[in-house]
Amino acid sequence: MRSVLSLSQGTLNRAVKNMVSCAFVVATVLVVGSVLKARAALSSPITRSVFVMRHCLRSTPMQIYGAPGFNDFQNYTSRPEPTWPVPAYQCLPQGIEVIRNFGKKLNASGTLPKGGVAVYADVSAKRDNDTAEALMDGLGLRDQTFLPAPYVFDPIACGLCTGVPLTEQVAALKKSFANKPPPATHTKRLAQLQAILGKGAAPALSDIPDAVHRNGYFTGGGSAASEIAEVFLMQQGSGMEFGWGLLSEADVDNFLEAHIWYRAVNDRVLPLVARKSSNMAAKVLSFLQRGQGDSSTLFLVGHDSDIDAMGELFGLTWHTDPFPANATTPGSALRFDLHDDGKTVSTSVLYQAFDGSPSPPSRRVPATLNWQKSGGDETTLQQLKDYVGPRLDHTCDPHRDGVL
């Protein structure tokens, strides 16, 4: 078997997209993961680190799902539909620079453990591949390539297992919706957003009821506002005119609250994230405990859903000011650090405070372990395993039933 490191990036990605078996990719990652090395970082009291990272600032599709039959952005506004310099879902030019500069700052920060760096990416999405490449460039890893890990990011899509049955998905989403009412300011926020949008063909956002439907989708005025708010964030962070020039940065952050509430209901649902993302949680724990060959740092480059899933499985919350609590903004990363006593684990979130420039300030805030009586952002590795273990769903474990 040829080493993945000897393949061109195009060949590697084509191999994955042509559905080389998930088991092959898993085995390949296990074989070559230890080959990845980086020049030693500055001294740090950290022994191992794992980053679960969202991709770049990207273009957004113009499909909006709110009111039935009104599935286009233009249905919700009287203003011109936003345009993008790249196809839908692809990294914006400045989005790539933001990631590259984040990597440079992190490399110079002295906060990474000494040793090698392994980078896994969700190769089903080009924006994740491009983000991984820009990150590695910033980290000074230009002679290396990232590794595909479909079993970590989406074992359901790569055929290792099936998802939660639809009736159970619907029941879980309805329970989540009932337990997580919108913020007290939600109705006012929808009215403020509508004032910016003007009146389109669709009903006003505040007149579209939010509901979990039989097809497993949670839609309504809240879902439409969520998608529109992210359009403004992508524009603002990438240096484009945002909100037709009618918004301030504070307005963008305010509207993002609708996006974060929607994601709390839709993407922090334990039975659903446990099925899809337990392999990722197990990877975080196993890397903290044992590392991987010569690698002492692991990056998992994926999506906001991955950060949300780890937040739910590990019982974490955070506030990346000026964004709303539990924001999962592009380029942000949930970080797990094992300290040099071999026992203490700390949790934090790294993010960029977007200012429209290609090198916005990089910040770090604690991620609170809500299941601890004292809260805080530190625990022991054993306590973390004791909490997370019972929350995992091993249906998609690639070692189950002899897949490997």
Side-chain angles (χ1 to χ4, degrees):
M1 181 177 70
R2 293 176 67 194
S3 166
V4 170
L5 295 181
S6 70
L7 301 177
S8 71
Q9 191 61 58
T11 301
L12 176 60
N13 291 346
R14 284 194 298 273
V16 176
K17 289 179 181 178
N18 289 336
M19 282 315 296
V20 176
S21 74
C22 193
F24 170 81
V25 176
V26 174
T28 302
V29 168
L30 293 176
V31 169
V32 305
S34 63
V35 178
L36 292 176
K37 294 182 179 179
R39 60 186 175 85
L42 299 176
S43 61
S44 168
I46 306 301
T47 301
R48 298 188 191 100
S49 294
V50 181
F51 296 78
V52 180
M53 182 174 177
R54 188 185 180 187
H55 56 70
C56 58
L57 290 154
R58 57 152 173 80
S59 57
T60 65
M62 290 294 99
Q63 289 78 41
I64 299 287
Y65 297 99
F70 296 95
N71 298 333
D72 190 89
F73 189 103
Q74 196 65 64
N75 297 147
Y76 295 88
T77 182
S78 59
R79 303 188 187 282
E81 186 171 275
T83 59
W84 304 97
V86 295
Y89 287 122
Q90 303 309 311
C91 290
L92 292 161
Q94 186 159 296
I96 288 291
E97 290 307 308
V98 169
I99 296 295
R100 183 177 289 112
N101 286 322
F102 167 67
K104 290 178 180 178
K105 293 173 186 176
L106 186 59
N107 196 40
S109 68
T111 64
L112 293 178
K114 292 182 179 179
V117 178
V119 180
Y120 292 0
D122 180 0
V123 292
S124 68
K126 184 177 183 297
R127 61 188 179 277
D128 297 340
N129 302 351
D130 293 342
T131 297
E133 289 181 345
L135 172 69
M136 295 177 74
D137 187 20
L139 289 171
L141 307 177
R142 297 179 184 85
D143 58 342
Q144 298 177 188
T145 186
F146 58 83
L147 297 172
Y151 78 104
V152 171
F153 290 95
D154 196 344
I156 298 171
C158 81
L160 275 179
C161 56
T162 57
V164 173
L166 180 59
T167 55
E168 296 179 27
Q169 291 182 40
V170 171
L173 279 168
K174 286 184 175 180
K175 182 178 180 181
S176 178
F177 182 31
N179 290 339
K180 300 169 185 173
T185 53
H186 186 65
T187 301
K188 178 181 178 182
R189 184 172 292 108
L190 293 185
Q192 292 172 330
L193 180 55
Q194 193 72 64
I196 296 297
L197 293 168
K199 184 67 174 71
L205 296 174
S206 58
D207 292 336
I208 308 171
D210 294 303
V212 176
H213 303 281
R214 289 182 295 177
N215 61 4
Y217 286 90
F218 171 50
T219 62
S223 63
S226 167
E227 295 177 67
I228 294 166
E230 229 196 4
V231 169
F232 297 155
L233 177 69
M234 298 296 178
Q235 292 173 326
Q236 185 261 326
S238 61
M240 300 172 62
E241 180 184 70
F242 53 95
W244 303 282
L246 301 173
L247 302 179
S248 67
E249 292 183 359
D251 292 329
V252 174
D253 300 335
N254 173 47
F255 292 145
L256 196 62
E257 183 78 51
H259 179 67
I260 303 308
W261 170 71
Y262 176 80
R263 295 197 60 82
V265 174
N266 195 68
D267 295 276
R268 280 188 166 224
V269 185
L270 183 58
L272 307 186
V273 300
R275 178 65 60 91
K276 179 177 179 287
S277 300
S278 284
N279 287 349
M280 180 176 287
K283 183 64 179 177
V284 171
L285 291 171
S286 67
F287 191 91
L288 290 175
Q289 181 168 336
R290 296 186 295 272
Q292 183 173 293
D294 295 330
S295 297
S296 57
T297 301
L298 172 65
F299 286 90
L300 300 172
V301 180
H303 304 269
D304 47 0
S305 58
D306 297 313
I307 298 177
D308 276 322
M310 294 303 99
E312 181 67 18
L313 290 170
F314 284 85
L316 295 166
T317 57
W318 53 85
H319 189 184
T320 51
D321 185 68
F323 306 119
N326 300 321
T328 53
T329 48
S332 62
L334 183 56
R335 178 173 181 169
F336 300 85
D337 291 317
L338 179 70
H339 292 245
D340 55 8
D341 62 2
K343 298 179 181 179
T344 303
V345 173
S346 60
T347 50
S348 59
V349 175
L350 280 68
Y351 69 106
Q352 290 76 52
F354 299 131
D355 59 5
S357 77
S359 187
S362 293
R363 297 177 181 173
R364 181 176 180 176
V365 296
T368 302
L369 297 151
N370 293 303
W371 44 273
Q372 292 193 137
K373 290 182 179 180
S374 59
D377 60 340
E378 286 191 358
T379 187
T380 68
L381 180 56
Q382 187 59 54
Q383 288 173 327
L384 195 62
K385 291 165 64 178
D386 289 345
Y387 175 79
V388 175
R391 297 168 70 80
L392 301 184
D393 179 342
H394 297 285
T395 302
C396 300
D397 187 340
H399 296 87
R400 186 177 63 91
D401 299 331
V403 173
L404 289 181

